Amino acid sequence: MNILEKANEIVNKRSEEKEREYGPFSLCNKKAAIIASVLSNKEITTLDIYNFQIALKLARESHSHKQDNLLDVAAYVGALNNYQENIKFDNDITINNE
């Protein structure tokens, strides 16, 4: 399976098992933004969290190539697009974008 197809599977066709294990991706990012805001004493948005995740994976990739880094970047970019476009799937919950 090519990396983009695999990223699509991760983001758009997540199995119920992953959903039970981690919860909805968009909700986790929203919660992470709230926690990061408290910890840093400044507002961190849900959009910031998506961008941070992409930046972290690219930073790791710049140090040492691992296919998993690139797979995660592709998946996070896809998830970011879903968030920006308000695309919802059966296993997602609705949250308001900032």
Side-chain angles (χ1 to χ4, degrees):
M1 176 181 302
N2 117 356
I3 194 169
L4 296 177
E5 291 171 331
K6 193 167 183 180
N8 183 55
E9 288 287 324
I10 291 169
V11 174
N12 297 324
K13 299 178 182 177
R14 289 178 297 200
S15 68
E16 286 185 31
E17 183 56 37
K18 281 292 181 195
E19 192 67 20
R20 277 180 271 172
E21 187 176 338
Y22 298 118
F25 192 67
S26 56
L27 179 60
C28 289
N29 282 348
K30 186 173 183 89
K31 287 179 179 180
I34 293 166
I35 294 165
S37 294
V38 170
L39 292 174
S40 64
N41 200 30
K42 59 182 158 186
E43 183 183 1
I44 305 294
T45 68
T46 304
L47 179 59
D48 291 333
I49 297 298
Y50 282 94
N51 290 329
F52 293 156
Q53 290 172 317
I54 293 165
L56 177 62
K57 285 299 182 168
L58 289 172
R60 288 179 178 173
E61 180 63 19
S62 73
H63 176 71
S64 176
H65 169 67
K66 291 189 178 178
Q67 184 179 9
D68 182 64
N69 291 329
L70 298 178
L71 173 60
D72 286 349
V73 167
Y76 293 156
V77 168
L80 171 59
N81 183 68
N82 291 348
Y83 175 77
Q84 292 283 57
E85 299 295 325
N86 253 338
I87 297 171
K88 304 290 182 224
F89 296 93
D90 290 341
N91 58 353
D92 278 344
I93 63 162
T94 301
I95 63 170
N96 295 325
N97 295 352
E98 285 85 21

